[in-house]
Amino acid sequence: MEGLTMGSYGAYVWSCFIMGGLVLLICDWRARSLQRKVYRDIEVRIKALGDEL
């Protein structure tokens, strides 16, 4: 139990660890959603070019 409490700093350390993990998850989610949006846009543009030819 001493390892989890880390003296009196356990709450600070673990809350920072959890918030850091959440930030990483949010960044990953946003990057993946932006990538999907860009690929959809590229697909629409390619189809539009194919229709013009």
Side-chain angles (χ1 to χ4, degrees):
M1 196 63 177
E2 184 67 28
L4 290 176
T5 59
M6 297 178 192
S8 61
Y9 300 106
Y12 171 74
V13 171
W14 289 110
S15 64
C16 289
F17 184 74
I18 290 170
M19 285 191 292
L22 287 174
V23 167
L24 289 175
L25 287 173
I26 290 169
C27 287
D28 182 58
W29 174 73
R30 289 188 56 155
R32 288 175 190 261
S33 65
L34 179 62
Q35 181 184 20
R36 280 192 299 271
K37 180 181 175 188
V38 168
Y39 280 139
R40 274 190 237 123
D41 186 45
I42 290 171
E43 184 178 1
V44 167
R45 290 173 186 236
I46 289 173
K47 285 181 182 179
L49 285 175
D51 292 343
E52 291 177 5
L53 297 175

